[in-house]
Amino acid sequence: MIHNLGLNNSIINQFMAEVRDVELQKDSMRFRNNMIRLGEIFAYEISKMLDYTEENVITSLGVAKVSTMLQQPVLATILRAGLPLHEGLLNFFDHADNAFISAYRRHYNDGTFEIKIDYLSSPSLENRVLVLADPMLATGQSMVLTYKEIVAAHGKPKHTHIVSAIASAEGVEYLKRLMPPGEFTFWTAAIDEELTAQSYIVPGLGDAGDLAFGAKSSD
């Protein structure tokens, strides 16, 4: 199932306008804060799909019946670009377990690239809800590879929520083809139609990691 929250008028579109704006992007703190806000909105929407139980909560004047989550999800992010989005998710799922993945593109002289994973740290995912976040879904290859690697190493989740601020239409179709049908939900705030030959989303927003934390050395 695909949820594009940007299709409806809400505050999420204001935050998206700011993370895309080339002038506002010069303020890395503002960029990070907006990514955190996006993560919080996604967390709220995902929370509606989790399992709940009714509890009696003692107040100063009596007893209130309140629905609370049976279990918080495991939050996983692809380093480093995903950290602000992850922080927003964690602000709401504040008792969640966490997983971290280091993935990168290895480029070759002919212009092609492959996705490599250097590091993966995760609790058991067996029968847990997994939320896997990366701010940009370009080709979708990194996301699918990360999902396969983390499941192979740490068990199969009962459902996976994939979160990206911006996705390419091609990347969304790749998820539909390669992810297990019925076992994942994709959340985004925008789906852009163009993907360049170098696999950059257009209009996109640029390199989310560089915008949040500073440009990488090319050496």
Side-chain angles (χ1 to χ4, degrees), residues 116-131:
K116 305 292 289 186
I117 291 181
D118 270 351
Y119 173 82
L120 195 159
S121 173
S122 174
S124 173
L125 301 176
E126 198 67 40
N127 206 34
R128 301 281 302 275
V129 172
L130 171 66
V131 180

Side-chain angles (χ1 to χ4, degrees), residues 15-194:
F15 300 147
M16 286 297 296
E18 294 186 10
V19 298
R20 286 188 191 263
D21 190 303
V22 68
E23 291 300 320
L24 297 181
Q25 286 177 347
K26 296 174 182 177
D27 185 344
S28 59
M29 182 172 68
R30 185 169 183 173
F31 183 88
R32 290 194 305 271
N33 285 341
N34 279 324
M35 278 293 174
I36 292 169
R37 289 165 168 170
L38 292 173
E40 291 171 342
I41 294 173
F42 287 125
Y44 174 74
E45 294 297 330
I46 291 170
S47 74
K48 299 175 184 178
M49 302 183 69
L50 303 181
D51 295 326
Y52 288 78
T53 185
E54 191 174 80
E55 291 188 4
N56 291 327
V57 178
I58 307 300
T59 78
S60 58
L61 298 175
V63 179
K65 292 187 180 297
V66 181
S67 291
T68 58
M69 281 186 291
L70 279 172
Q71 187 182 52
Q72 294 221 355
V74 176
L75 305 180
T77 194
I78 299 176
L79 301 173
R80 65 180 168 148
L83 287 173
L85 196 59
H86 183 94
E87 183 177 345
L89 292 162
L90 188 58
N91 282 347
F92 277 28
F93 297 123
D94 53 357
H95 295 290
D97 292 328
N98 295 267
F100 299 95
I101 305 98
S102 175
Y104 69 97
R105 294 178 180 181
R106 175 178 288 174
H107 291 271
Y108 297 102
N109 292 335
D110 62 0
T112 63
F113 66 88
E114 64 176 329
I115 306 299
K116 305 292 289 186
I117 291 181
D118 270 351
Y119 173 82
L120 195 159
S121 173
S122 174
S124 173
L125 301 176
E126 198 67 40
N127 206 34
R128 301 281 302 275
V129 172
L130 171 66
V131 180
L132 181 55
D134 192 10
M136 309 292 286
L137 184 84
T139 65
Q141 294 180 38
S142 295
M143 192 67 78
V144 171
L145 178 61
T146 296
Y147 172 82
K148 290 180 177 179
E149 292 280 341
I150 200 171
V151 167
H154 298 282
K156 184 178 179 180
K158 64 180 179 181
H159 194 79
T160 299
H161 295 274
I162 297 175
V163 175
S164 294
I166 298 177
S168 74
E170 181 178 321
V172 173
E173 291 304 313
Y174 188 83
L175 288 187
K176 290 179 181 179
R177 293 196 310 271
L178 275 295
M179 288 292 292
E183 296 183 14
F184 83 100
T185 303
F186 179 61
W187 301 84
T188 189
I191 298 177
D192 291 350
E193 291 299 322
E194 185 177 347

